[in-house]
Amino acid sequence: QKEVEQNSGPLSVPEGAIASLNCTYSDRGSQSFFWYRQYSGKSPELIMSIYSNGDKEDGRFTAQLNKASQYVSLLIRDSQPSDSATYLCAVPEINFGNEKLTFGTGTRLTIIP
Amino acid sequence: EPEVTQTPSHQVTQMGQEVILRCVPISNHLYFYWYRQILGQKVEFLVSFYNNEISEKSEIFDDQFSVERPDGSNFTLKIRSTKLEDSAMYFCATTGGRNSPLHFGNGTRLTVT
């Protein structure tokens, strides 16, 4: 059974600071990793995907992947109140492309003005 | 930006009734999925659909559930004889390729009373 683990939080970060969200996964063969943002009562919204070891930056967001440690993280720089949401880590099952995602429980992030 | 459209946004039904949840995929997308999220829990994969047939389903997706794309446009999830525990947000997701990220619709909140 594939596992995706996240600290459920809540994680509180002052506005303007860096928020760091972490995710570990159990399947060593996993190749693709996604971060989704979910506002309360809304659908998951893709914010980052990462496939290779190292860092990937997109605006204020940076995804970091370490396959040896089976660890993927998301950094949010210059945090804004609008970043307050639950952040979901998702990992596809091997041999299913990206269609059968296993989601973590999500980390609830609150940005404090 | 193209969107995945789901209707209705909220469906209330009595236990034992049948419901049909509808999804209009992004026009050039070929792979369709249903996920669900019970309140406060993880987003869970239900079923994937490609080329007019189910390609993968989870253990949740039992004989109570069915999917179809009757008119080449709408992608539907039918739940027969609903149970209280079927109450959840149901998300349709689509993608243009198996290795492309999923795009989620806004979801249908199903409440079974």
Side-chain angles (χ1 to χ4, degrees), chain A residues 74-94:
Chain A
L74 179 70
L75 301 179
I76 306 174
R77 289 182 301 282
D78 187 23
S79 298
Q80 304 295 311
S82 59
D83 295 327
S84 296
T86 297
Y87 288 81
L88 309 176
C89 176
V91 182
E93 290 219 3
I94 297 172

Side-chain angles (χ1 to χ4, degrees), chain A residues 7-112:
Chain A
N7 186 330
S8 61
L11 175 66
S12 296
V13 173
E15 183 175 356
I18 296 175
S20 177
L21 306 164
N22 304 316
C23 172
T24 59
Y25 58 95
S26 62
D27 197 332
R28 184 167 289 278
S30 296
Q31 298 295 318
S32 309
F33 307 88
F34 302 98
W35 281 100
Y36 285 84
R37 177 176 62 198
Q38 187 177 32
Y39 293 112
S40 182
K42 303 296 184 182
S43 62
E45 173 192 7
L46 180 68
I47 55 172
M48 288 288 284
S49 58
I50 187 166
Y51 304 93
S52 304
N53 276 330
D55 294 1
K56 178 182 177 183
E57 187 174 316
D58 184 0
R60 296 186 296 111
F61 298 97
T62 299
Q64 300 175 317
L65 174 60
N66 184 326
K67 290 185 180 179
S69 300
Q70 295 175 234
Y71 176 95
V72 58
S73 65
L74 179 70
L75 301 179
I76 306 174
R77 289 182 301 282
D78 187 23
S79 298
Q80 304 295 311
S82 59
D83 295 327
S84 296
T86 297
Y87 288 81
L88 309 176
C89 176
V91 182
E93 290 219 3
I94 297 172
N95 299 324
F96 287 97
N98 291 336
E99 57 185 337
K100 191 175 179 183
L101 297 178
T102 297
F103 283 85
T105 53
T107 298
R108 188 154 54 92
L109 174 66
T110 301
I111 305 302
I112 304 168

